[in-house]
């Protein structure tokens, strides 16, 4: 980042402008490219992928009319929502009603500043990167509560309060599950955490010791709960609350909430990938920096998109939990287990400050065994269900 | 130059939001205006190269305290109408108290020899903060956590008592 700015200043593209101003312009342009070119299209495309994936899980076809295999469905939806009337209820609190979607989108856009796409593709490698990522997403709560209250409608208010209660509760296990990794690396920087891991699975923090393995799973489930994803989508439970905090919204403002929700899937995946799955780490196959960066970019995105797919899979498979189950899962199980993880990792680091490579191999082997058992169970149920299986991704 | 512009913009955001919080007739609007005040303070911390403190401010104040405050305000009955909650204190005592308060604060601000240093370069502060907390300042740190523990237990006792009735 700093090198790029120095190069631009040295090249004299901007003449005699002060260096800070050039830096500001470069940062603003790059941020705009990342947000408009990656974040928003990603949110749109994920909405299409998600609808196709659910459709397959539920033995349907899904949207397949606009473009090849319905790929352009998200653009059509966007155009439709822009053209719709922006209805603002008479009895609502007009100013807060209008501001709320922007706050939610703000909370979705800010984490992309520290998204480590590859060893050099990162907007700002802050010293407090991971802390920044978890704390800026907290602004979502304020937007959701604002939307719920300003709509002046009981469904919206209940949805908003449920969402806030859920996010505030699950922030605690999520935050505590980040600590084991921070304890092991001694840094909060996204790139620092990724550099402390290796490209091979046994060098990932997921398999570093039993505590980090549990922490990774808790973090993923908590992140799904914070992102209002099924099985934790109580705030917008269609069968109970119409559309929760978004009930009174229409047009683009309504779409903003859901764009943030879909885009947050990438952020959830990126946090897990960075902390536990080795981030962009790829074996050094070439000395060319550009080639390496492209390979790292692909590695990072494959890992993140796999986690995004898993969350769609969960959404298609699991029923919604009740509010008391949600709260007891968080406070009675996740919070105590997270504390055990933290203390366990601290003891582990005290015994083996450099990490234990044997433990990495054993944990990786156990991970493979778990995966094999899982696939066997799935195959067993597939055979028992006697349904006609065929694989045709394009209909 | 650029830093000064940013500082004054952040100061204006903080003070403006705080003023809105104090003067708004609608208590819910006041509560939401606190967001601006907290975000302005976050920005000022970043400008002072206190990265860790800025992020903790964001996490604790915006993610925790503001949300709990909004909860409390939303679940209170009759928040929309403005009524004087304490009729014992009239305008004149309130005016006298605030004038004296402002006078004392202004006196303190003017008389304090402000320690001025150039803006430090952005450097990692987390390591130093961690060492300080678990080194020289371990006793104040533990005492503060004891206070929080007492507050936690107190909250649980109060809410359990209500549940029985």
């Amino acid at each position: 980042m700093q090198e790029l700015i120095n190069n631009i200043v040295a090249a004299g593209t901007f003449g005699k402008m002060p260096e800070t101003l050039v830096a500001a312009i470069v940062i603003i342009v790059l941020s705009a490219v990342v947000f408009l070119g990656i974040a928003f299209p990603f949110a749109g495309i994920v909405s299409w992928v998600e609808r196709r994936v659910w459709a397959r899980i539920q033995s349907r076809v899904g949207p397949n009319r606009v473009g090849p295999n319905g790929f352009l469905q998200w653009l059509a939806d966007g155009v439709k929502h822009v053209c719709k009337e922006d209805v603002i209820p008479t009895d609502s609190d007009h100013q807060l009603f209008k501001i709320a979607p922007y706050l939610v989108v703000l909370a979705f856009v800010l984490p992309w500043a520290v998204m480590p796409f590859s060893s050099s593709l990162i907007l700002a490698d802050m010293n407090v990167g991971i802390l920044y990522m978890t704390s800026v997403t907290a602004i979502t709560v304020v937007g959701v509560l604002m939307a719920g209250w300003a709509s002046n409608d009981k469904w919206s208010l209940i949805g908003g309060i449920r969402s806030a209660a859920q996010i505030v509760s699950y922030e605690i296990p999520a935050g505590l599950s980040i600590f084991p990794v921070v304890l092991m690396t001694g840094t909060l920087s996204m790139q620092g955490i990724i550099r402390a891991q290796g490209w091979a699975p046994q060098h990932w923090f997921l398999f570093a010791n039993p505590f980090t393995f549990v922490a990774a799973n808790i973090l993923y489930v908590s992140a799904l709960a914070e992102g209002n994803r099924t099985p934790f989508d109580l705030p917008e439970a269609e069968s109970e609350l119409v559309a929760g905090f978004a009930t009174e919204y229409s047009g683009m403002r309504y779409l903003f909430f859901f764009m943030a929700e879909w885009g947050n899937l990438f952020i959830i995946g990126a946090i897990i990938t960075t902390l536990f799955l080795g981030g962009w780490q790829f074996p050094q196959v070439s000395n060319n920096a550009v080639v390496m960066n492209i390979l790292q970019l692909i590695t990072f995105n494959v890992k993140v998109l796999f986690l995004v797919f898993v969350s769609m899979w969960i959404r298609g498979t699991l029923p919604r939990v009740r509010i008391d189950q949600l709260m007891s899962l968080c406070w009675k199980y996740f919070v105590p287990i997270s504390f055990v993880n933290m203390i366990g990792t601290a003891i582990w680091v005290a015994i083996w400050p450099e990490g234990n490579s044997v433990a990495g191999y054993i944990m990786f082997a156990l991970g493979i065994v778990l995966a094999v058992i899982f696939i066997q169970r799935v195959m067993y149920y597939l055979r028992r269900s006697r349904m006609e299986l065929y694989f045709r991704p394009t209909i | 130059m650029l830093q000064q512009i940013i500082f004054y913009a952040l100061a204006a955001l903080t003070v403006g939001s705080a003023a809105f919080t104090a003067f708004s007739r609608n208590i819910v609007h006041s509560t939401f205006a606190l967001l601006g005040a907290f975000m302005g303070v976050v920005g000022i911390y970043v400008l002072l190269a206190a990265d860790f403190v800025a992020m903790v401010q964001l996490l604790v104040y915006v993610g925790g305290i503001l949300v709990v405050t909004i909860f409390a305000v939303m679940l209170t009955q009759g928040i929309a109408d403005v009524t004087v909650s304490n009729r014992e204190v009239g305008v004149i005592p309130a005016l006298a108290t605030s004038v004296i308060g402002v006078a004392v604060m202004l006196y303190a601000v003017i008389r304090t020899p402000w320690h001025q240093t150039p803006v430090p370069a952005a450097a990692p502060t987390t390591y130093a903060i961690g060492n300080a907390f678990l080194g020289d300042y371990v006793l104040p740190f533990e005492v503060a956590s004891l206070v929080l523990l007492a507050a936690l237990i107190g909250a649980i006792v109060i809410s359990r008592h209500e549940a029985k009735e």
Side-chain angles (χ1 to χ4, degrees):
Chain A
M1 199 65 204
Q2 194 58 47
E3 285 171 33
L4 182 70
I5 293 165
N6 289 342
N7 284 341
I8 289 171
V9 171
T13 322
F14 289 94
K16 286 203 166 62
M17 268 171 21
E19 199 174 323
T20 44
L21 206 60
V22 176
I25 292 169
V26 170
I27 289 170
I28 288 169
V29 169
L30 278 179
S31 317
V33 167
V34 168
F35 300 147
L36 297 177
I38 303 173
F40 291 111
F42 175 81
I45 291 168
V46 159
S47 77
W48 167 72
V49 173
E50 184 159 44
R51 287 165 70 184
R52 291 288 280 184
V53 170
W54 294 342
R56 288 319 155 102
I57 290 171
Q58 298 162 354
S59 296
R60 292 185 288 118
V61 176
N64 67 344
R65 291 290 151 188
V66 194
N69 284 303
F71 178 73
L72 297 175
Q73 184 69 42
W74 61 284
L75 275 180
D77 284 346
V79 171
K80 186 188 93 174
H81 277 92
V82 170
C83 294
K84 279 173 107 172
E85 189 193 348
D86 182 20
V87 181
I88 295 169
T90 319
D91 284 344
S92 68
D93 192 323
H94 293 222
Q95 289 128 3
L96 292 181
F97 189 83
K98 286 178 191 163
I99 299 170
Y102 299 127
L103 277 178
V104 174
V105 170
L106 178 75
F108 151 61
V109 158
L110 284 175
W112 293 78
V114 292
M115 194 70 78
F117 289 109
S118 80
S119 54
S120 11
L121 283 176
I122 180 167
L123 276 179
D125 184 20
M126 288 188 227
N127 298 311
V128 286
I130 189 69
L131 195 63
Y132 168 86
M133 213 163 196
T134 47
S135 46
V136 289
T137 43
I139 301 173
T140 317
V141 196
V142 181
V144 164
L145 270 174
M146 200 184 266
W149 192 82
S151 298
N152 195 14
D153 164 11
K154 55 189 167 190
W155 311 126
S156 302
L157 187 62
I158 294 172
I161 286 181
R162 273 189 186 181
S163 174
Q166 184 173 320
I167 297 176
V168 169
S169 306
Y170 276 89
E171 237 168 39
I172 293 162
L176 289 172
S177 300
I178 291 169
F179 282 144
V181 172
V182 176
L183 276 173
M184 290 168 75
T185 54
T187 176
L188 290 164
S189 138
M190 302 292 268
Q191 298 288 53
I193 289 169
I194 294 175
R195 291 215 166 88
Q197 302 176 64
W199 60 270
Q202 67 269 21
H203 298 136
W204 294 349
F205 283 145
L206 178 65
F207 301 119
N209 61 49
F211 304 108
T212 50
F213 187 80
V214 177
N217 288 298
I218 287 181
L219 182 58
Y220 189 58
V221 177
S222 307
L224 287 182
E226 282 189 69
N228 295 340
R229 295 283 304 178
T230 322
F232 308 104
D233 64 341
L234 295 138
E236 51 201 62
E238 295 88 353
S239 47
E240 306 164 25
L241 294 179
V242 193
F245 55 83
T247 306
E248 296 292 335
Y249 283 88
S250 62
M252 204 58 200
R253 286 184 210 278
Y254 176 79
L255 202 61
F256 273 172
F257 286 111
F258 288 91
M259 208 156 66
E261 191 192 313
W262 283 312
N264 274 333
L265 287 181
F266 191 93
I267 293 166
I268 292 168
I271 291 176
I272 308 277
T273 306
T274 304
L275 290 175
F276 295 106
L277 301 181
W280 40 255
Q281 287 283 6
F282 197 81
Q284 185 79 31
V285 291
S286 160
N287 286 325
N288 188 338
V290 178
V291 173
M292 277 311 291
N293 269 302
I294 291 170
L295 287 173
Q296 288 165 350
L297 180 67
I298 294 169
T299 316
F300 181 78
N301 278 293
V302 165
K303 288 173 184 171
V304 173
L305 292 179
F306 173 72
L307 290 173
V308 171
F309 172 73
V310 170
S311 78
M312 291 172 187
W313 186 3
I314 290 172
R315 186 161 189 175
T317 324
L318 295 181
R320 182 180 303 136
V321 298
R322 276 200 327 261
I323 188 90
D324 60 319
Q325 293 170 334
L326 179 93
M327 285 297 154
S328 68
L329 178 70
C330 176
W331 292 105
K332 291 182 187 163
Y333 297 94
F334 279 7
V335 172
I337 295 172
S338 301
F339 276 118
V340 170
N341 279 335
M342 223 173 86
I343 296 164
T345 314
I347 293 167
W348 190 281
V349 171
I351 298 171
W352 294 291
E354 297 300 315
N356 190 336
S357 57
V358 181
Y361 284 102
I362 295 169
M363 287 298 298
F364 181 46
L366 285 176
I368 290 175
V369 170
L370 265 178
V372 167
I373 294 172
F374 176 74
I375 292 168
Q376 272 186 341
R377 294 305 294 177
V378 171
M379 295 307 280
Y380 173 72
Y381 283 114
L382 279 181
R383 274 199 303 275
R384 259 177 44 140
S385 67
R386 288 187 194 174
M387 61 189 215
E388 215 170 300
L389 276 176
Y390 56 91
F391 186 71
R392 269 164 66 203
T394 59
I395 295 183
Chain B
M1 178 58 198
L2 198 64
Q3 246 174 354
Q4 277 188 339
I5 295 171
I6 295 172
F7 171 75
Y8 283 112
L10 288 170
L13 174 70
T14 315
V15 176
S17 306
F20 190 87
T21 306
F23 295 119
S24 174
R25 308 288 286 178
N26 185 329
I27 191 169
V28 177
H29 286 190
S30 297
T31 324
F32 280 116
L34 277 175
L35 177 67
F38 291 149
M39 296 302 275
V41 174
V42 171
I44 289 169
Y45 279 138
V46 171
L47 210 61
L48 293 172
D51 50 1
F52 185 76
V53 181
M55 288 310 126
V56 171
Q57 160 88 10
L58 192 61
L59 193 66
V60 172
Y61 278 84
V62 177
I65 290 176
L66 180 60
V67 173
V68 174
T69 314
I70 295 171
F71 248 83
V73 168
M74 275 189 188
L75 298 177
T76 310
Q77 274 191 327
I79 44 167
D81 40 84
V82 182
T83 45
V84 181
S85 53
N86 194 346
R87 290 182 189 284
E88 296 298 313
V89 183
V91 176
I92 295 157
L95 197 69
T97 320
S98 29
V99 166
I100 294 169
V102 168
V104 168
M105 274 193 271
L106 278 179
Y107 181 76
V109 166
I110 294 164
R111 290 301 297 270
T112 310
W114 289 100
H115 180 64
Q116 285 190 334
T117 48
V119 175
T125 55
T126 322
Y127 191 78
I129 290 174
N131 271 338
F133 265 149
L134 295 175
D136 294 346
Y137 299 98
V138 70
L139 187 65
F141 181 61
E142 289 300 325
V143 171
S145 62
L146 209 64
V147 173
L148 290 177
L149 183 69
L152 265 174
I153 295 171
I156 291 169
V157 168
I158 291 169
S159 54
R160 277 182 78 87
H161 179 68
E162 279 178 0
K164 251 183 246 166
E165 284 174 351

